[in-house]
Amino acid sequence: MLAGSVFLFLLVMTLFFVVTRKGAMMKRVSARSWIIGGGLVLPLPILIALTGYALYQGERLIGTHDDRTPMRIEARGRMWTWDFHYPDLPGISATANVLHIPAGQPIEILLTSSDVIHSFWVPRLGGKIDAIPGHVTRLRIEAGRPGSYGGVCAEYCGAGHAGMDFRVIAHDAEEFERIMSGNIR
Ligand code: CUA
């Protein structure tokens, strides 16, 4: 994205320079060529490439190309807290604003909201997706190694939006087992 936008910026600046400083040079290109070149030939490949890339990334976001069975976690946003439930770990209590996951394992977040639209985003672990009331959206995240990862609500949701952050703690398999059996909050 950065490389693409740098290229387009330089192209536009070059054209701007030519138009303002070298007027005579511009007169050699007809208006029709500008419209066809700048209006059709240039944007078509760029838009097709961006659309293809977005579709590919969208599939990755929900783990379509991943054959491993993920551990499911239910996340519910409400003004201005995140509640996490662990349906694959029966008997484990819900946690608020702290999500415990095993490292090196795909996690499927089943996301919803109790009130308004929120957005779940842990930049270092995966993409960002909206939490919509009355709806369940899915998102795949994975922590490559144990650690603590910051997450935020990425959709403006009222006065407490800025404070609606949370933490994802990724444990190694052994520690995860221990913590979950100790039923930590
Ligand atoms: Cu929830 Cu912003």
Side-chain angles (χ1 to χ4, degrees):
M1 280 291 188
L2 179 64
S5 41
V6 166
F7 168 74
L8 288 177
F9 178 74
L10 291 177
L11 182 71
V12 170
M13 284 300 119
T14 309
L15 284 172
F16 179 70
F17 176 79
V18 172
V19 167
T20 49
R21 297 291 160 87
K22 312 256 179 215
M25 214 167 120
M26 298 308 286
K27 294 219 174 72
R28 292 212 293 269
V29 184
S30 70
R32 199 186 158 82
S33 306
W34 276 117
I35 291 168
I36 291 174
L40 287 174
V41 177
L42 180 68
L44 267 182
I46 292 172
L47 291 180
I48 288 170
L50 280 177
T51 307
Y53 183 66
L55 289 174
Y56 171 74
Q57 283 294 339
E59 294 293 308
R60 270 179 52 122
L61 214 64
I62 56 172
T64 311
H65 306 301
D66 192 343
D67 294 333
R68 297 169 299 166
T69 308
M71 189 183 120
R72 290 171 307 156
I73 284 171
E74 291 167 3
R76 177 177 285 272
R78 60 186 162 90
M79 293 162 156
W80 292 280
T81 302
W82 293 99
D83 293 317
F84 301 109
H85 291 263
Y86 304 82
D88 287 346
L89 305 166
I92 299 303
S93 328
T95 53
N97 291 331
V98 178
L99 169 58
H100 294 279
I101 62 169
Q105 218 177 294
I107 310 291
E108 181 167 65
I109 309 283
L110 302 163
L111 205 63
T112 192
S113 165
S114 299
D115 36 47
V116 299
I117 296 176
H118 304 275
S119 185
F120 179 98
W121 191 28
V122 188
R124 289 171 65 201
L125 301 187
K128 166 171 68 177
I129 210 155
D130 278 2
I132 301 165
H135 218 71
V136 175
T137 42
R138 295 183 299 139
L139 176 71
R140 195 67 70 96
I141 62 169
E142 182 167 347
R145 61 180 103 131
S148 175
Y149 303 88
V152 291
C153 174
E155 175 75 47
Y156 182 72
C157 56
H161 164 71
M164 196 174 165
D165 50 0
F166 58 100
R167 205 132 266 290
V168 178
I169 304 186
H171 309 274
D172 61 43
E174 211 170 276
E175 193 185 51
F176 185 72
E177 201 108 312
R178 193 155 45 78
I179 281 188
M180 280 295 140
S181 57
N183 214 345
I184 259 185
R185 283 194 159 261

